[in-house]
Amino acid sequence: MKKLILLLCMLLIALPVVAQDEEEEEGDEDMMVMMGDWETCPTPENLPEEVTIGAVFSQSGNVSVYGIPQTQAVEIAVAEVNESGYLGEGVTLNVVFADSAGDQEQAIAAMTQLVEEEGVVAVLGPTLSTEAFAADPIANDAGVPVMGVSNTATGITDMGEFVFRDSLPESSVIPGTVAGAVEILGLERVGVLYGNDDDFTLSGYDVFIEALEENEIEILGEETFARGDVDFSAQLTNLLSDEPDALIVSALAAEAVQIIIQARDLGYEGPIIGGNGLNSPAIITQAGEDAEGVIVGAAWNAASDNELSLAFMANFEEYTENRPDQFATQAYTGAWLMATAIRCADSDDSADIRDALAEIEDFPSPLGYFSFDEDRNPVHDPVVQVVVDGAFGILGAEDSE
């Protein structure tokens, strides 16, 4: 933590971030702006000395490839909020973390601990959509705003008026991913492989099928698997026997890595198109060269020239010695969104924070300008990524150069 505080002090002095608006008003050309919406709401005057939020992330188990970077990103955001005085002089934002381990029951216990025992005023997480469906009703029923920072399944915010997410739902990302792949690669026939026991992978499957039908792509066959499976040779053999132009995969990272490796071992060299679960760098590091050509829609890409994104990447790499992924970026943004709601509410009352969160519009962030729609879902532009030379690049970028 000392390393983080020292780093943030240096960043506040030496690496302020310019505003995203390129049309700066005359006379303000030299003005540098930190992360946060400093002008929409005045500095709070009525907050207590400490405001405590919670965060439920999968910090252990095979889903920790998402949860650990999320935890680190929130630590960075909270430290920045405090160092910058975003909530007012003498006010400290605290965060209590709880590990959900990718398990529904543990997510319920973690949410219960934070809401009923710790008395947090708001919660970030949980990591997985299936955890959110189990645990979010606890926060919603208690009148505590909860923001998913990686929940992309259909129906997340339908659970209640206190449920938000800053992670683009699969329905906002997959259609563009499929359309882009069809346009650039000329896909006509695909095989589909999906997890049939997880809310996220099932939701992704439904959206994929709808997008494939919309683009008049022939589905040659469908196969299923369950979380924890490690052998996909039978399903892949069946799908590849029809010689598809691409494999469609709705999976979490642990299963996706093995699917990719085993598909390549069977001689398949074509594109593998995945849902949000394939956005983790773990896909690349664990699958190695076999990950080349994997295509996935995303809310963010490291190649973005967004100044706030560049600053966050530098900060995250300095703090963790790793590059951030989409899940870290969304968690970082989510923490700043929650801090902004607290700032604008000028209150630590959960209902006031919920109302202020719903009003956030055009918030400058590493994801771009961010807003919530009337259903508390995120509004910003997605991207389509492809793994090239061991990194996520933008699909079609090489063709446009």
Side-chain angles (χ1 to χ4, degrees):
M1 183 58 70
K2 289 182 178 178
K3 176 182 177 182
L4 175 58
I5 293 174
L6 176 60
L7 168 65
L8 291 170
C9 289
M10 293 170 61
L11 285 172
L12 284 168
I13 296 170
L15 291 175
V17 181
V18 299
Q20 289 180 316
D21 189 354
E22 295 179 357
E23 298 179 359
E24 296 179 352
E25 294 181 5
E26 185 177 355
D28 290 339
E29 293 181 355
D30 296 328
M31 182 182 294
M32 306 296 277
V33 180
M34 289 295 299
M35 180 74 179
D37 191 348
W38 294 81
E39 297 185 2
T40 299
C41 301
T43 302
E45 298 180 350
N46 300 301
L47 293 176
E49 292 184 357
E50 295 188 354
V51 179
T52 303
I53 64 173
V56 180
F57 295 139
S58 298
Q59 299 170 319
S60 61
N62 59 20
V63 187
S64 63
V65 295
Y66 308 126
I68 290 176
Q70 289 179 317
T71 300
Q72 294 167 330
V74 170
E75 288 174 341
I76 292 171
V78 169
E80 288 178 350
V81 167
N82 291 331
E83 288 292 326
S84 65
Y86 193 56
L87 298 184
E89 184 178 356
V91 179
T92 299
L93 179 65
N94 297 319
V95 57
V96 179
F97 291 99
D99 180 15
S100 56
D103 179 76
Q104 287 179 303
E105 291 303 318
Q106 190 157 329
I108 291 172
M111 188 70 76
T112 301
Q113 172 199 338
L114 293 176
V115 171
E116 297 182 4
E117 298 177 22
E118 300 290 346
V120 300
V121 300
V123 179
L124 300 170
T127 297
L128 299 182
S129 294
T130 189
E131 295 174 324
F133 281 123
D136 282 6
I138 295 169
N140 186 75
D141 291 348
V144 174
V146 55
M147 187 196 307
V149 294
S150 52
N151 304 149
T152 61
T154 301
I156 289 292
T157 61
D158 293 342
M159 286 185 281
E161 294 295 315
F162 281 80
V163 181
F164 294 73
R165 61 174 158 190
D166 77 348
S167 45
L168 287 173
E170 296 284 61
S171 58
S172 296
V173 178
I174 287 176
T177 304
V178 171
V182 169
E183 179 181 357
I184 294 173
L185 303 177
L187 305 181
E188 296 180 355
R189 298 151 33 102
V190 301
V192 178
L193 180 58
Y194 67 99
N196 64 355
D197 65 340
D198 181 87
D199 292 311
F200 160 72
T201 55
L202 282 168
S203 177
Y205 162 77
D206 290 337
V207 180
F208 264 123
I209 295 302
E210 184 176 346
L212 292 169
E213 292 175 348
E214 179 69 23
N215 285 273
E216 300 181 349
I217 303 302
E218 181 182 0
I219 300 173
L220 299 174
E222 298 183 12
E223 296 285 343
T224 64
F225 62 87
R227 279 183 65 184
D229 286 354
V230 295
D231 185 357
F232 305 91
S233 56
Q235 298 100 314
L236 289 168
T237 297
N238 290 338
L239 292 174
L240 296 178
S241 66
D242 292 322
E243 299 183 356
D245 297 329
L247 282 178
I248 303 295
V249 177
S250 182
L252 293 169
E255 291 76 31
V257 168
Q258 292 305 314
I259 290 170
I260 293 167
I261 293 173
Q262 292 172 36
R264 301 308 189 202
D265 285 346
L266 289 170
Y268 178 69
E269 299 179 351
I272 297 173
I273 303 174
N276 195 49
L278 277 68
N279 267 317
S280 171
I283 296 294
I284 300 174
T285 58
Q286 295 178 26
E289 292 184 0
D290 290 337
E292 293 291 306
V294 167
I295 296 171
V296 57
W300 172 86
N301 181 270
S304 170
D305 61 0
N306 175 335
E307 294 285 352
L308 293 171
S309 177
L310 294 172
F312 167 63
M313 288 177 61
N315 196 349
F316 190 90
E317 289 185 52
E318 182 69 23
Y319 179 45
T320 68
E321 298 183 355
N322 292 301
R323 300 188 72 184
D325 59 13
Q326 171 185 291
F327 303 97
T329 309
Q330 289 175 159
Y332 172 81
T333 300
W336 268 100
L337 288 169
M338 199 65 79
T340 298
I342 295 169
R343 174 185 171 94
C344 290
D346 194 7
S347 168
D348 65 344
D349 179 80
S350 293
D352 293 340
I353 295 170
R354 179 258 173 234
D355 291 344
L357 198 59
E359 294 296 321
I360 289 178
E361 184 175 0
D362 294 332
F363 178 82
S365 81
L367 303 175
Y369 282 105
F370 182 99
S371 302
F372 286 110
D373 68 15
E374 61 183 7
D375 296 316
R376 303 168 307 287
N377 284 309
V379 178
H380 69 89
D381 294 330
V383 297
V384 182
Q385 304 182 123
V386 59
V387 178
V388 178
D389 296 331
F392 284 119
I394 303 298
L395 182 65
E398 292 184 355
D399 297 334
S400 63
E401 292 178 355

